[in-house]
Amino acid sequence: MIIVLIIYVILLLISAKIYINIGQKDINNILNKEELNKLTIDLPDNISICTEVLKDLEVKDISIKLNEDKKSTTSFYNVFSKQIILCDNVKVSKSFARILFIAHECVHASQKESHLKFNFILANINVAFCIISTILIWCNVITEHLYLTVFGIALILNLFSFFARNAIESSATYMSIIKATNYLRKYIENENLELVEREYERIINKGYTTFIFSTFTTNIILILLQIISITVCTYIYT
């Protein structure tokens, strides 16, 4: 049984890696469409775009800064410091999709602060509980009569963490298309805007599917880690 579980985990990791790489490759192909990049190349800088989108969302008291790591290709919103950190990578900043990614972080900034903090704290509690409890199981500090209780808690934390993250990201992901399109409407013609919007939808569909698969895989691995630990330690300590 334990051998089957280990093989399953290995196959799951390999499948996840292949699927995520394929999804990322598809997204990169969309991002590198020069004919669309030319439509947005003369738009204002990233901070100006972010400021305008935040104004459209009626979000105030949010600071904006560029990522000091020029190699980084991601932007993110820090709910604790109320700060949006924007990607300052030269290649990414030339892409027509930068408006979509900026809008995504702006939408996060418009979400309820309590929800974002709850999601962050819950996700970290979930990972910490799974890792610490697994170590304690192996050290026989958590004994056999507590295995099911610990596993039940881990499963509940895992499910709540997954659905909390999914709720926040799904809202920001699809709303970002609307806000990015609203911004672009002032700068490019409707015919070209429709082309950009269609590609935004493709990016979202590919990216969100990859995100869900990645998150789900991570959660499953944490649960399988507990199952394997409980199975092995039941054999060792009984």
Side-chain angles (χ1 to χ4, degrees), residues 73-125:
T73 58
T74 59
S75 300
F76 61 93
Y77 171 61
N78 187 326
V79 63
F80 294 96
S81 63
K82 292 187 177 181
Q83 187 175 65
I84 294 177
I85 310 297
L86 296 176
C87 167
D88 197 27
N89 181 278
V90 174
K91 184 177 180 180
V92 174
S93 294
K94 291 180 180 179
S95 172
F96 73 99
R98 68 183 172 118
I99 298 90
L100 179 67
F101 299 144
I102 291 171
H104 182 91
E105 301 311 323
C106 290
V107 174
H108 273 317
S110 72
Q111 293 173 324
K112 285 189 177 181
E113 183 178 325
S114 57
H115 291 178
L116 295 173
K117 288 181 177 179
F118 174 77
N119 171 66
F120 178 84
I121 293 170
L122 183 61
N124 282 279
I125 289 175

Side-chain angles (χ1 to χ4, degrees), residues 24 26-46 49-50 53 73-75 86-87 89-106 172-173 175-181 183-184 188 192-193 195-207:
Q24 191 59 54
D26 290 339
I27 293 173
N28 287 336
N29 288 336
I30 299 172
L31 298 181
N32 292 327
K33 290 193 172 184
E34 288 302 322
E35 66 274 18
L36 295 180
N37 291 342
K38 290 177 181 178
L39 296 175
T40 60
I41 193 67
D42 294 324
L43 291 181
D45 62 273
N46 290 346
I49 293 173
C50 189
V53 175
T73 58
T74 59
S75 300
L86 296 176
C87 167
N89 181 278
V90 174
K91 184 177 180 180
V92 174
S93 294
K94 291 180 180 179
S95 172
F96 73 99
R98 68 183 172 118
I99 298 90
L100 179 67
F101 299 144
I102 291 171
H104 182 91
E105 301 311 323
C106 290
T173 297
M175 183 61 72
S176 63
I177 298 178
I178 297 173
K179 293 305 173 182
T181 304
Y183 176 85
L184 288 173
I188 62 178
N192 291 328
L193 182 61
L195 292 174
V196 172
E197 187 174 10
R198 280 200 296 269
E199 294 306 307
Y200 280 173
E201 290 172 355
R202 289 184 62 200
I203 292 171
I204 292 301
N205 289 334
K206 288 285 185 181

Side-chain angles (χ1 to χ4, degrees), residues 38-234:
K38 290 177 181 178
L39 296 175
T40 60
I41 193 67
D42 294 324
L43 291 181
D45 62 273
N46 290 346
I47 290 181
S48 298
I49 293 173
C50 189
T51 301
E52 198 163 338
V53 175
L54 285 173
K55 185 177 179 181
D56 181 36
L57 286 163
E58 298 182 349
V59 177
K60 300 177 181 179
D61 301 323
I62 301 294
S63 61
I64 309 166
K65 66 176 289 187
L66 297 177
N67 197 330
E68 294 179 0
D69 181 3
K70 305 297 181 182
K71 294 181 180 180
S72 174
T73 58
T74 59
S75 300
F76 61 93
Y77 171 61
N78 187 326
V79 63
F80 294 96
S81 63
K82 292 187 177 181
Q83 187 175 65
I84 294 177
I85 310 297
L86 296 176
C87 167
D88 197 27
N89 181 278
V90 174
K91 184 177 180 180
V92 174
S93 294
K94 291 180 180 179
S95 172
F96 73 99
R98 68 183 172 118
I99 298 90
L100 179 67
F101 299 144
I102 291 171
H104 182 91
E105 301 311 323
C106 290
V107 174
H108 273 317
S110 72
Q111 293 173 324
K112 285 189 177 181
E113 183 178 325
S114 57
H115 291 178
L116 295 173
K117 288 181 177 179
F118 174 77
N119 171 66
F120 178 84
I121 293 170
L122 183 61
N124 282 279
I125 289 175
N126 176 43
V127 174
F129 181 84
C130 283
I131 293 174
I132 293 171
S133 61
T134 298
I135 293 171
L136 294 178
I137 288 171
W138 280 98
C139 294
N140 202 29
V141 175
I142 295 177
T143 52
E144 186 181 0
H145 72 283
L146 291 174
Y147 284 172
L148 286 179
T149 301
V150 170
F151 180 71
I153 295 172
L155 192 60
I156 291 171
L157 284 173
N158 211 284
L159 289 172
F160 272 94
S161 175
F162 176 78
F163 287 115
R165 179 76 184 277
N166 183 47
I168 287 173
E169 289 298 333
S170 61
S171 173
T173 297
Y174 292 101
M175 183 61 72
S176 63
I177 298 178
I178 297 173
K179 293 305 173 182
T181 304
N182 283 348
Y183 176 85
L184 288 173
R185 187 168 284 113
K186 295 176 287 185
Y187 294 95
I188 62 178
E189 298 175 355
N190 286 336
E191 183 179 345
N192 291 328
L193 182 61
E194 290 176 3
L195 292 174
V196 172
E197 187 174 10
R198 280 200 296 269
E199 294 306 307
Y200 280 173
E201 290 172 355
R202 289 184 62 200
I203 292 171
I204 292 301
N205 289 334
K206 288 285 185 181
Y208 192 67
T209 302
T210 302
F211 161 77
I212 287 294
F213 187 82
S214 176
T215 304
F216 181 74
T217 302
T218 301
N219 284 19
I220 287 294
I221 289 172
L222 288 173
I223 291 299
L224 286 175
L225 181 64
Q226 285 247 316
I227 293 173
I228 291 172
S229 299
I230 288 172
T231 304
V232 173
C233 291
T234 299

